[in-house]
Amino acid sequence: MTRYTDTQLDALRELANIGSGTASTALSGMLGKSVDISVPNAFVLPMAEAVGSIGDAESEATGVVLGIVGDMPGSVLLLFTPKDAELMCGLLGVEAGSEYGISALMEIGNIVGASYINALGQMIGMDLEPTPPAAATDMLGAIVQTVLAERAGAGDVALLLDSDLVVEGEDCSVSFLLVPDQGGVEQMLERLGV
């Protein structure tokens, strides 16, 4: 696996920060509440390590995935623990685990993921389009494996952005994975000139 310099990782972190700010504004508009998103870290990891760093592969999670089509194909995966899914659904007045709950999480994923993808495309001068979201509740490892299996050209690295969302003082953690197809991370860095 390619090793990235501190300068390159800083550039990816900066992309993450700007993308998260855009996503935060969009989510705030949807919820009608103030949303702060911090991106404490950006890691470029082999997929197996990315799953391990999010949590136990056997633990339950709800994943919302959006495909990326255009100049840099890939996927965006947002992962919610049961507690965080319940909190987000509660803010929207729906029950987690219900049909409305899953729909609400898909809409949150759609808004956060799409605004992130759009901001990323603008910053690196690429045409990136999100595809409609899909959601599943399963073991964390199974969700990530499914997302990867669906992408024939999926690289073996993920850009892991662990975001903490604070919604009106409520702590809610969402793990955000950007999984570019083979060579995508290098394409982003090249566009950033690092």
Side-chain angles (χ1 to χ4, degrees):
M1 182 182 137
T2 312
R3 288 273 164 239
Y4 297 95
T5 66
D6 286 346
T7 305
Q8 290 173 322
L9 290 172
D10 283 346
L12 293 172
R13 256 181 227 113
E14 191 50 34
L15 272 184
N17 271 322
I18 295 167
S20 294
T22 308
S24 162
T25 304
L27 188 57
S28 179
M30 177 190 183
L31 296 172
K33 299 180 183 300
S34 73
V35 176
D36 292 314
I37 297 184
S38 66
V39 179
N41 270 311
F43 301 103
V44 179
L45 297 168
M47 279 315 301
E49 279 180 42
V51 173
S53 70
I54 293 167
D56 179 1
E58 306 277 310
S59 63
E60 185 181 302
T62 298
V64 177
V65 66
L66 287 82
I68 305 171
V69 294
D71 294 341
M72 188 188 75
S75 299
V76 164
L77 176 63
L78 286 89
L79 293 161
F80 301 88
T81 65
K83 176 185 147 294
D84 294 324
E86 202 171 302
L87 185 72
M88 293 306 269
C89 286
L91 289 169
L92 292 167
V94 295
E95 193 180 319
S98 69
E99 195 177 317
Y100 291 117
I102 294 293
S103 181
L105 291 176
M106 280 175 41
E107 193 49 34
I108 289 168
N110 194 29
I111 287 171
V112 172
S115 59
Y116 198 95
I117 291 165
N118 292 337
L120 186 65
Q122 285 175 350
M123 287 184 288
I124 58 178
M126 286 184 167
D127 181 29
L128 305 178
E129 290 288 321
T131 63
T137 300
D138 201 336
M139 289 188 299
L140 175 63
I143 292 172
V144 175
Q145 286 309 321
T146 302
V147 168
L148 293 179
E150 286 175 1
R151 297 222 55 86
D156 61 346
V157 297
L159 179 55
L160 171 64
L161 311 170
D162 251 343
S163 302
D164 288 318
L165 282 80
V166 181
V167 183
E168 300 265 294
E170 292 271 7
D171 261 334
C172 179
S173 183
V174 175
S175 291
F176 190 98
L177 280 172
L178 171 64
V179 187
D181 279 6
Q182 202 75 42
V185 173
E186 286 73 16
Q187 263 183 300
M188 287 191 291
L189 291 170
E190 195 177 304
R191 291 292 180 113
L192 293 168
V194 288

